[in-house]
Amino acid sequence: MNIPNELLYTKTHEWVKKSTSKEVIMGITDFAQQQLKDIVFVELPSVGKELKMGTPCAVVESVKAAYDIYAPVSGKVLKINQKIQEKPQLVNEDPYGEGWFLHIEISNPNEFSSLLSPDQYRVASESEH
Amino acid sequence: MKKTQLYDTHLTCNAKMVSFHGYEMPLQYDSIIDEHHCVRKNAGLFDISHMGRFAVSGDKAFQFIQQIITNDVGQLADKQVLYTPICNEQGGIIDDILVYKWHEKHFMLVVNCSNAEKDLSWLQKQAANYQPLEIRDLTDSVSLIALQGPQSINMLEVAFESKFDSIKRFYFDDYVWDGTRITISRTGYTGEDGFEIFVDSEQVVKLWNLLIGKNKQDGLRPIGLGARDTLRLEACLLLYGNDMDETITPLETTIGWTVKFDKGNFVGRESLLNQKTRGIDRKLVGFEMIDRGIPRQGYPVFKGNEIIGKVTSGSFSPSTNKNIGLSLIQSQYAKIGEEFQIQIRDNRYNAQIVKTPFYSRIKR
């Protein structure tokens, strides 16, 4: 399972990358895409939408079912990845790269402290196996 | 939770198991989409031992079957298979089944796993006037596997070193293999050519391994319930509990052709005839999404601001690369080309009624 060291994680299998002091990029983890397998649809929020940490911000669908994706931090949606809406399998193929979901302008930097380190996430996801 | 004889075999093949109407069954071994294409282009092997199987024998077995089904068993030759609903007095579908006829006094019914118990008590109740009649539950003693796909005939012949082209579509025959009787029918639930094989439960693992072992190099692989669902939906084969239930009659679905009013009396005939005369208010139709979005069972269907029905089955369709579904809607809108909207979460998306099946195999 690929858990890059430079990222932070949530228990619900999202990853977060700090790109500037005010902005993060997020997506779903390699573990999540492996569990979902064939991703055939992604629904993303509109740019400008205010997200609240821990609440649903996107939907991914496999052949069998739809799953909510949760906002890893609170803030405003700055950019969405239109490419994964057109080619959802990018999320399976490259979950940390081309398969990114959103850029978010963070509203509360204190929230970072509740995200998981790579090691913490490894432990959390292994217990789900 | 019940397990089929092949449970350990599935685990060895890395199956992701799910609970399905009381059975632990393989949802997928790998990617549902890859499994789907494998059946369409080559062949796949399914464990469908969860389906109910009842042997019906007796002097009046023929009359009994004719009374409980809507289709006409009188048109059936020996060793032929018939698809039919069983209806209640109101014409609602109790189950959809396959009837196997050995001869006038001996039949087998293959029923949905989800309905097996209900069916058995219904059959026993209906059997009162047809005694002596024996209804024997074979579900545990006989296992059932399906070999499906354009290459299934070749793979069957390679495995048994024997010819099977004499079995025509919707016929079956009995064979002796490894000292026991097996029954092979040319039937299936995928929209492809294929076979379903009934074998003693003690022998099923051996048969499964034989089929896979002899055909692995040609690409035969096990297929889970996930692909079984996408395959059957593309072929517009209905699923009980989704597209049919006891509140829906065959005339409202795509299997109205299975109701044979001319054959004489049967359970539900009067109600169905009334419905036919009165006019049918709802109709099951196939549709594809125009906008992006995957329709799922239960999503409401809108025309303007009015709800005109609901989605009964829906999925991404690997063979057409579209999002497709079936919906039960008001008949007035049930025309090919008609557009409606499907509510998916908070938004409504355009869809259009299309001709079914969504996919049909190239007949060879």
Side-chain angles (χ1 to χ4, degrees), chain A residues 27-128:
Chain A
I28 67 169
T29 65
D30 187 40
F31 176 82
Q33 71 76 19
Q34 279 181 29
Q35 291 291 305
L36 293 166
K37 293 204 168 85
D38 310 310
I39 294 171
V40 292
F41 183 78
V42 182
E43 186 175 288
L44 298 174
S46 352
V47 171
K49 188 171 178 187
E50 290 289 343
L51 304 178
K52 193 164 166 275
M53 183 187 193
T55 61
C57 67
V59 176
V60 297
E61 300 199 34
S62 70
V63 178
K64 280 310 287 178
Y67 304 87
D68 282 327
I69 304 303
Y70 298 91
V73 292
S74 303
K76 189 165 79 178
V77 178
L78 292 177
K79 227 196 288 183
I80 62 173
N81 186 0
Q82 276 163 352
K83 270 171 84 179
I84 61 170
Q85 295 187 308
E86 283 142 32
K87 245 187 110 185
Q89 66 267 38
L90 284 175
V91 181
N92 287 119
E93 290 163 6
D94 190 9
Y96 299 113
E98 280 204 277
W100 64 273
F101 278 48
L102 309 172
H103 282 236
I104 303 169
E105 182 182 68
I106 57 169
S107 57
N108 180 4
N110 294 333
E111 287 175 349
F112 281 122
S113 60
S114 55
L115 295 172
L116 306 178
S117 71
D119 284 341
Q120 288 170 321
Y121 178 63
R122 187 180 307 278
V123 172
S125 55
E126 273 167 6
S127 69
E128 277 191 38

Side-chain angles (χ1 to χ4, degrees), chain B residues 14-127:
Chain B
N14 282 325
K16 181 174 173 187
M17 304 298 284
V18 287
S19 130
F20 186 78
H21 301 293
Y23 280 85
E24 287 271 338
M25 296 301 289
L27 174 66
Q28 61 198 101
Y29 301 84
D30 185 14
S31 142
I32 292 178
I33 294 177
D34 290 351
E35 289 175 24
H36 178 106
H37 289 310
C38 181
V39 174
R40 288 270 180 261
K41 293 182 179 133
N42 195 15
L45 193 60
F46 301 73
D47 177 16
I48 50 170
S49 302
H50 60 299
M51 299 198 74
R53 293 174 288 291
F54 304 120
V56 178
S57 9
D59 284 346
K60 294 185 188 159
F62 172 85
Q63 288 84 348
F64 168 69
I65 305 265
Q66 193 68 312
Q67 172 68 15
I68 59 159
I69 68 172
T70 63
N71 208 336
D72 185 5
V73 77
Q75 293 176 4
L76 217 54
D78 291 354
K79 304 273 180 79
Q80 199 177 356
V81 186
L82 184 71
Y83 173 71
T84 181
I86 305 180
C87 286
N88 58 30
E89 290 291 355
Q90 291 72 45
I93 304 171
I94 292 176
D95 202 358
D96 67 321
I97 69 170
L98 289 180
V99 177
Y100 286 66
K101 180 189 176 190
W102 270 267
H103 54 77
E104 303 274 303
K105 294 177 184 178
H106 184 59
F107 296 83
M108 176 174 63
L109 311 180
V110 178
V111 309
N112 281 295
C113 164
S114 53
N115 292 330
E117 250 175 71
K118 174 183 83 170
D119 291 349
L120 188 58
S121 53
W122 173 258
L123 294 174
Q124 279 160 346
K125 202 170 121 200
Q126 301 297 315

Side-chain angles (χ1 to χ4, degrees), chain B residues 36 40 83 96 188-192 228-240 243-244 252-258 283-287 312-313 317 319-320 324-327 353-361:
Chain B
H36 178 106
R40 288 270 180 261
Y83 173 71
D96 67 321
Y189 193 51
T190 59
E192 296 298 331
R228 186 168 160 83
D229 191 45
T230 52
L231 289 159
R232 71 91 195 166
L233 180 59
E234 285 183 350
C236 199
L237 299 168
L238 307 189
L239 174 61
Y240 197 90
D243 314 310
M244 292 174 279
E252 295 170 321
T253 70
T254 53
I255 57 166
W257 60 272
T258 59
K283 199 70 197 153
L284 191 70
V285 295
F287 66 88
T312 59
S313 286
S317 155
S319 301
T320 64
I324 61 168
L326 296 170
S327 64
I353 298 177
V354 295
K355 220 173 73 190
T356 54
F358 303 97
Y359 164 91
S360 29
R361 72 194 161 106

